Amino acid sequence: MHTILRLNNITAGYGDKVIFKDINLEISDRSCLGVVGPNGGGKTTLLSIMLGINKPLKGDVEYFRGGEKVKSLDIGYLPQQNIIDRQFPISVKELVVSGLTTLSPSFIGSRIEKGQDVDRLLSVLELDNVADIHIGALSGGQMQRALFARAMVSNPELLILDEPDTYMAPDFKAMMPSLIKEINKTCAVVMVSHNFEEISRLCDLIIEVDRKIIYI
């Protein structure tokens, strides 16, 4: 297995407030990393550094593909629902397609024309019957599945899931472990969860983030 992401001596925070200091972490291809920790301990900040959304105050983030250093990776991201504007004028299918916007225009065009990945995901996640509905009309569980589809549509090299089981209906929540195991065969996964028992079954490595990283 090759390293695909490396955090080197990362110190992160906002303004004068430091969230954590001198964190080092490596993620390998097809690995599954579980992340636990208290609210305010730095879990979301850690994810934002991995995604390149926020820059560290100190240290650097390195990405690799096949053992060679690259500028970035194709990363799928399932955020917490409370950061999504459900009034935004977009349908479920358009939300899923928006997960392709980091790819080249020609690649996006061919994917949309064929519709294979989008339609397949909508079907697998039982959203095909609401594909043309505005996202504001979705239940919490449907919205979570739509965001999951958006994270997966580009066939990412790394999938980051921030509390993926939140709002999910019991039947789909029961499907999640097998779905993540299947995804993990070709894609590295980082999953934040408050359900320690579940990530213990799914993940190769678990860390607690509470102003520092503690390996469990």
Side-chain angles (χ1 to χ4, degrees):
M1 296 174 73
H2 297 289
T3 296
I4 61 170
L5 186 150
R6 180 184 294 144
L7 305 183
N8 299 309
N9 298 311
I10 297 292
T11 294
Y14 306 93
D16 296 330
K17 183 180 180 181
V18 173
I19 304 298
F20 49 69
K21 296 177 66 175
D22 300 323
I23 278 183
N24 294 283
L25 181 66
E26 288 194 14
I27 297 172
S28 300
D29 58 342
R30 288 171 284 117
S31 64
C32 185
L33 172 68
V35 181
V36 298
N39 293 333
K43 301 187 301 296
T44 298
T45 301
L46 178 65
L47 299 188
S48 70
I49 294 293
M50 291 180 181
L51 288 160
I53 296 171
N54 291 323
K55 301 296 182 185
L57 301 175
K58 189 183 78 171
D60 62 284
V61 183
E62 296 179 299
Y63 303 102
F64 301 88
R65 182 178 295 116
E68 300 293 327
K69 191 172 179 178
V70 293
K71 291 183 179 180
S72 64
L73 294 174
D74 181 10
I75 302 177
Y77 176 43
L78 172 65
Q80 293 185 26
Q81 278 201 49
N82 58 12
I83 71 169
I84 302 298
D85 179 5
R86 296 189 60 153
Q87 301 307 310
F88 190 77
I90 191 172
S91 70
V92 173
K93 188 167 186 175
E94 288 168 337
L95 176 68
V96 176
V97 169
S98 72
L100 297 170
T101 56
T102 58
L103 305 177
S104 69
S106 61
F107 189 76
I108 293 172
S110 65
R111 282 286 185 87
I112 294 173
E113 183 179 346
K114 293 178 182 177
Q116 53 186 8
D117 290 330
V118 174
D119 291 340
R120 176 180 57 82
L121 281 168
L122 289 170
S123 176
V124 168
L125 298 175
E126 299 177 3
L127 293 168
D128 43 341
N129 62 328
V130 294
D132 298 319
I133 290 177
H134 180 265
I135 61 171
L138 299 179
S139 68
Q142 288 172 323
M143 185 66 183
Q144 195 77 335
R145 281 182 275 149
L147 292 172
F148 190 89
R150 184 183 69 168
M152 283 303 303
V153 71
S154 66
N155 295 317
E157 297 163 277
L158 171 63
L159 177 64
I160 295 180
L161 307 171
D162 196 354
E163 300 185 20
D165 54 356
T166 306
Y167 303 110
M168 282 188 176
D171 56 344
F172 187 72
K173 190 178 290 189
M175 291 172 54
M176 280 293 291
S178 59
L179 187 59
I180 291 173
K181 283 183 179 179
E182 187 64 28
I183 291 166
N184 203 200
K185 291 177 182 179
T186 57
C187 172
V189 176
V190 174
M191 181 167 59
V192 174
S193 178
H194 291 291
N195 188 335
F196 185 81
E197 182 179 347
E198 180 177 67
I199 63 172
S200 296
R201 294 195 302 266
L202 291 172
C203 297
D204 314 303
L205 177 67
I206 301 174
I207 60 173
E208 179 180 359
V209 180
D210 188 6
R211 305 288 176 173
K212 59 183 178 180
I213 284 181
I214 302 167
Y215 289 86
I216 300 176

